[in-house]
Amino acid sequence: MADWHQDYERRYKELKQKGKSFFPYAVFKDCLVAFLLFGLLAFLAWKLGAHLESLADPTDTSYNPRPEWYFLFLFQALKAFPGSLESVAAVVLPGAVFAALFFLPLFDRGHKRHPLDRPFLTGLGVLAIAGVTALTVEGYRSPLVNPVVEKNPEVVEGARLYRQLNCAYCHKIRGKGGVVGPQLDRVVGAESPEWLERHFRDPSAVTPHSAMPRLGLLDDEIKALTAYLKSIANEPFTQEAPKLFAENCAVCHKIRGQGGEVGPDLSTIGSARDKSFIVRYIEDPAKTNPKSGMPAFRGQLTDLQIEDLARYLSSLGR
Ligand code: HEC
Ligand code: HEC
């Protein structure tokens, strides 16, 4: 047996004699630390809580998906791979790293313990940590893909109230909900905020014999619901909008069976895209979709015409 091995065995025996047994000493320490960490976690959950985002909304094109900071390096690494190789970066590479760690005791069989005596593996480890750190920093700094749209807190609160008060039991918004009352996204565009507020305070004072109950809402709640309903309402478009579509867009796009086939059928575009997306697309498709085959209309159409067209299109399929 090699010298160093005997030496090692001897030291092992020595240490074992003066050491303490795993059970109960080490187990007790483990339990204590686990308990303290659990207590800390419970305290943080109680005092700070998890900051949930608002409900997922597939029509929200301004959302910027981002992982938590500890996954930013992976998020950033993914960008270095083209779409077809994404699974290599997401599955194969991390798999290889963990397999290497798993089998490390089988091929790293040197007897020296000090990191400086093991330059190859130490170097590899340092490199890996530096790489992960650099990718994390780069990921953190990388620009958001979608412009940040400041969400009006009143609108967010209104959407929450709408869910909490079960308005959808009687009303539809974008095709979802009950049929007792009118489809709100269709009708509230025509109402003034003052009308809506008066109606919320006492529906039957505004619409005699209204089947909508008086909900006893607070002023803040009425303001929030009104702001929310105004935000989802279809804005009125002019008679010109369908004509503009026929003249400029129908060569390539169909609406209800009428039009060309070069671009997608837009008959239900309003259920998938909101107005601001459509405005941006009409103005300059390449900004949203670099491979776009659609011409830009900024300059061809006035801003007012584009707004009108976008209001018309976003009302389709709702
Ligand atoms: C029990 C069924 C019912 C519930 C619950 C209900 N509504 Fe109504 N709502 C109606 C009916 C019926 C009408 C049509 C008569 C009227 O205008 O009052 C109506 C009308 C409205 C209108 C006026 C639409 C227009 O422009 O003519 C708005 C806005 C409205 N509801 C919003 C809400 C909101 C927001 C909630 C939840 C806080 C809600 N409703 C809960 C039945 C209901
Ligand atoms: C020369 C053909 C052509 C013309 C003209 C055209 N488009 Fe398009 N459009 C396309 C194609 C192709 C796409 C599919 C995606 C892409 O290539 O940009 C598209 C995509 C779109 C989209 C995005 C659909 C989605 O959900 O991603 C909208 C909105 C749109 N067009 C609106 C219009 C409007 C409004 C007009 C008229 C002002 C118009 N287009 C004129 C070819 C055209």
Side-chain angles (χ1 to χ4, degrees), residues 40-270:
L40 179 69
L41 212 61
F43 177 77
L44 288 177
W46 173 45
K47 278 293 169 200
L48 297 179
H51 299 284
L52 291 182
E53 295 183 44
S54 48
L55 279 190
D57 175 4
T59 59
D60 181 1
T61 52
S62 64
Y63 187 69
N64 281 294
R66 291 246 141 170
E68 294 292 338
W69 63 267
Y70 42 84
F71 279 132
L72 270 175
F73 74 97
L74 203 56
F75 169 77
Q76 189 63 22
L78 280 177
K79 294 185 190 163
F81 290 78
S84 54
L85 292 181
E86 211 163 65
S87 56
V88 173
V91 180
V92 179
L93 274 185
V97 169
F98 279 107
L101 283 177
F102 187 79
F103 291 112
L104 190 63
L106 296 184
F107 57 80
D108 176 29
R109 304 195 45 88
H111 60 274
K112 295 195 172 144
R113 288 291 173 265
H114 197 279
L116 289 182
D117 291 332
R118 301 144 53 89
F120 179 68
L121 284 169
T122 304
L124 218 59
V126 169
L127 221 64
I129 293 173
V132 166
T133 310
L135 282 172
T136 303
V137 171
E138 204 184 332
Y140 183 76
R141 286 203 190 144
S142 70
L144 299 177
V145 186
N146 294 312
V148 179
V149 181
E150 214 33 73
K151 290 228 170 69
N152 180 348
E154 228 175 21
V155 170
V156 175
E157 172 62 10
R160 196 188 64 75
L161 282 169
Y162 187 85
R163 279 194 303 277
Q164 194 193 13
L165 298 172
N166 273 326
C167 311
Y169 182 76
C170 293
H171 291 285
K172 270 197 172 71
I173 288 180
R174 306 224 169 97
K176 285 210 194 73
V179 294
V180 182
Q183 289 207 26
L184 293 178
D185 47 353
R186 294 247 170 102
V187 298
V188 295
E191 316 289 8
S192 69
E194 294 73 35
W195 187 95
L196 287 172
E197 287 173 18
R198 256 189 302 132
H199 184 271
F200 279 132
R201 221 156 260 131
D202 185 3
S204 54
V206 179
T207 316
H209 313 296
S210 173
M212 175 156 154
R214 233 178 114 166
L215 294 157
L217 298 165
L218 302 173
D219 281 356
D220 287 354
E221 295 173 325
I222 290 178
K223 282 236 155 27
L225 278 172
T226 303
Y228 170 60
L229 288 185
K230 274 293 165 198
S231 79
I232 53 106
N234 285 339
E235 293 164 287
F237 51 88
T238 71
Q239 294 300 313
E240 289 302 306
K243 288 185 205 149
L244 282 172
F245 186 85
E247 286 159 18
N248 295 282
C249 324
V251 268
C252 296
H253 292 286
K254 266 197 173 67
I255 287 183
R256 295 191 204 99
Q258 300 268 332
E261 309 236 290
V262 182
D265 188 326
L266 299 180
S267 306
T268 59
I269 181 77

Side-chain angles (χ1 to χ4, degrees), residues 244-245 248-249 251-253 262-264 266 269 272-273 277-278 281-282 285 289 291-295 297 301 309 313:
L244 282 172
F245 186 85
N248 295 282
C249 324
V251 268
C252 296
H253 292 286
V262 182
L266 299 180
I269 181 77
R273 306 293 195 188
F277 176 94
I278 298 176
Y281 216 91
I282 301 176
N289 171 6
K291 296 197 195 115
S292 176
M294 171 169 149
F297 283 89
L301 300 171
L309 256 176
L313 290 180

